[in-house]
Amino acid sequence: MLIRIDSDSPAAIFDQVAASVRSDIVAGRLSAGDRLPPAREVAAALDINVHTVLRAYQQLRDEGLLDLRRGRGAVVSASAAPLADLAGDIQRLVARAAALGVSPTTLASIVKETTP
């Protein structure tokens, strides 16, 4: 697993860490039961604060994608499995939006507004 951040991005670093993990789940590189590296290791590798990584992990926990357990660390939850099933649908939606000239920002806004 490779967590990616862009120091030039306006997005908060914890959001970038969470997005990177989320992307790995959607792509099938992470699946239910997989353990994420300890927050300290991720922080050291990315040269960021450990609390930033913990905040990203907590965000993913709040989304139902991770289970955080003392002694076991961060584990991809079983409820994350449907995300990988949606990967093809998401790719087709993004490609269709691009073909229609819809920007990623506009598409994200539309999806956000359409959620029940």
Side-chain angles (χ1 to χ4, degrees):
M1 183 178 102
L2 176 63
I3 295 179
R4 298 160 295 280
I5 61 169
D6 177 6
S7 58
D8 294 331
S9 172
I13 294 174
F14 76 90
D15 279 332
Q16 292 183 52
V17 172
S20 183
V21 172
R22 199 179 296 110
S23 174
D24 283 349
I25 292 170
V26 169
R29 292 185 290 269
L30 287 173
S31 55
D34 288 348
R35 288 186 184 185
L36 272 60
R40 289 187 196 285
E41 287 181 19
V42 174
L46 298 174
D47 195 28
I48 60 176
N49 189 294
V50 69
H51 294 289
T52 302
V53 179
L54 289 172
R55 185 168 177 191
Y57 282 7
Q58 289 168 348
Q59 179 180 348
L60 293 166
R61 178 205 57 207
D62 293 347
E63 294 174 14
L65 301 178
L66 292 185
D67 290 324
L68 297 178
R69 298 189 184 127
R70 190 175 299 281
R72 284 194 62 207
V75 179
V76 178
S77 71
S79 61
L83 278 186
D85 293 339
L86 288 174
D89 295 333
I90 293 168
Q91 290 170 348
R92 284 188 292 281
L93 176 62
V94 170
R96 177 82 171 123
L100 294 171
V102 176
S103 74
T105 304
T106 302
L107 179 60
S109 294
I110 292 168
V111 169
K112 195 175 214 177
E113 292 171 8
T114 343
T115 56

